[in-house]
Amino acid sequence: MGKRKFGITWGRMNYYSRVKELVKEREQELAESEEQREQFRLLGVINGLAAGEGMPHRNAIEAMAAAKQEIQELSDDVELFQYEIEFQKGFIKGLEQILMLNRGYFKEPVPFVLFGLFDDGQLLGKYDAAMQFSDLERYVPGSLNRQQYFFSDQLDEIVSEVAYIARRDVDFAVVLVVKDKSSQLLGRAKELSHIEPHRVSIVIDKEELNVRRMIDRVLGFHSLG
């Protein structure tokens, strides 16, 4: 059986990080603004960023067109609807920034590492065997110009390698795979609290879980929908 050809480009986690940075920057501007029209515009930008973050590219374009239509309809009474118009202008600006980020992060493949942290060696082995059907290569420290995976049942190893990757221009995600919700590993997960929440996901592995399907789902989440 051949490898699964995902046909995807990476960058989604870096993309989410940048969107959150933009939202924080606009929120700071809003907190410092004393002019009401500017406040409504900034609220619009923040809402545009938040709304567009998870939208497919085409949906973001459609939402932007709808906001422009709204402005046109409100323009019959600019004085009455001035604040709503400013909000919609900001909303459009936020969506425009989302579209630019989409083009930038998803145009070309970027280096990526999928980290897997497992309850035990037996669980790790099951998933490691399934990775032969993916296009990701086994992780080689220092060789970061490719798309790789690194699996371990040692939390310290994951923490160390994530710290190394996070200082470089590499996209990454972390998956915790446990047997049940009472896993001691989940109790130690606080040691990963320095990692942005959108980069970390948890998989409860049950006997009937299809490992190949789970890997497809995890990897598919990081593609541009």
Side-chain angles (χ1 to χ4, degrees):
M1 183 179 295
K3 290 185 177 182
R4 164 72 186 275
K5 300 298 182 183
F6 289 100
I8 58 182
T9 56
W10 304 88
R12 183 172 287 277
M13 295 296 99
N14 287 347
Y15 162 82
Y16 284 148
S17 296
R18 182 55 184 148
V19 172
K20 292 182 184 303
E21 287 176 5
L22 288 172
V23 169
K24 288 182 179 179
E25 289 170 5
R26 300 296 83 77
E27 287 177 339
Q28 182 62 37
E29 289 182 31
L30 178 61
E32 297 172 355
S33 175
E34 297 180 356
E35 206 277 313
Q36 197 166 22
R37 291 182 63 174
E38 176 70 3
Q39 291 171 352
F40 274 87
R41 187 189 67 80
L42 288 168
L43 280 171
V45 175
I46 293 168
N47 276 267
L49 289 167
E53 179 183 27
M55 286 183 180
H57 200 81
R58 181 174 179 177
N59 288 17
I61 293 174
E62 291 173 349
M64 190 164 62
K68 289 180 178 179
Q69 179 63 35
E70 181 76 7
I71 290 174
Q72 185 175 355
E73 293 174 359
L74 295 175
S75 295
D76 291 338
D77 195 336
V78 175
E79 185 174 353
L80 179 62
F81 297 113
Q82 59 178 313
Y83 297 123
E84 179 60 26
I85 290 173
E86 288 301 319
F87 179 90
Q88 292 298 335
K89 286 180 178 179
F91 188 77
I92 291 170
K93 182 66 176 178
L95 289 174
E96 286 176 342
Q97 291 178 320
I98 287 292
L99 292 171
M100 291 299 293
L101 286 174
N102 275 339
R103 295 186 185 101
Y105 281 114
F106 297 109
K107 185 177 181 180
E108 300 291 342
V110 298
F112 175 87
V113 180
L114 175 67
F115 291 98
L117 178 59
F118 296 83
D119 250 348
D120 54 43
Q122 183 177 3
L123 199 57
L124 185 158
K126 183 169 67 170
Y127 284 76
D128 192 52
M131 290 305 292
Q132 66 180 298
F133 300 112
S134 85
D135 287 335
L136 273 68
E137 303 175 17
R138 195 178 298 275
Y139 176 67
V140 178
S143 181
L144 302 177
N145 60 341
R146 59 187 70 180
Q147 296 161 3
Q148 305 177 82
Y149 70 95
F150 177 75
F151 289 172
S152 176
D153 57 358
Q154 300 299 312
L155 179 59
D156 292 343
E157 281 189 338
I158 295 293
V159 170
S160 175
E161 292 303 325
V162 166
Y164 170 74
I165 290 295
R167 295 192 298 268
R168 288 152 178 82
D169 188 21
V170 178
D171 199 12
F172 71 93
V174 181
V175 180
L176 278 68
V177 184
V178 299
K179 293 179 179 178
D180 55 59
K181 295 180 180 179
S182 64
S183 168
Q184 293 183 351
L185 183 59
L186 293 181
R188 296 189 62 200
K190 61 180 180 296
E191 295 180 41
L192 299 173
S193 61
H194 62 288
I195 302 174
E196 296 166 305
H198 61 268
R199 293 186 184 273
V200 182
S201 57
I202 297 174
V203 171
I204 306 296
D205 182 280
K206 300 179 180 179
E207 292 295 329
E208 68 273 14
L209 180 66
N210 184 305
V211 176
R212 173 78 175 276
R213 187 178 303 143
M214 189 285 296
I215 291 174
D216 285 0
R217 179 179 62 81
V218 170
L219 296 181
F221 174 75
H222 298 282
S223 68
L224 178 60

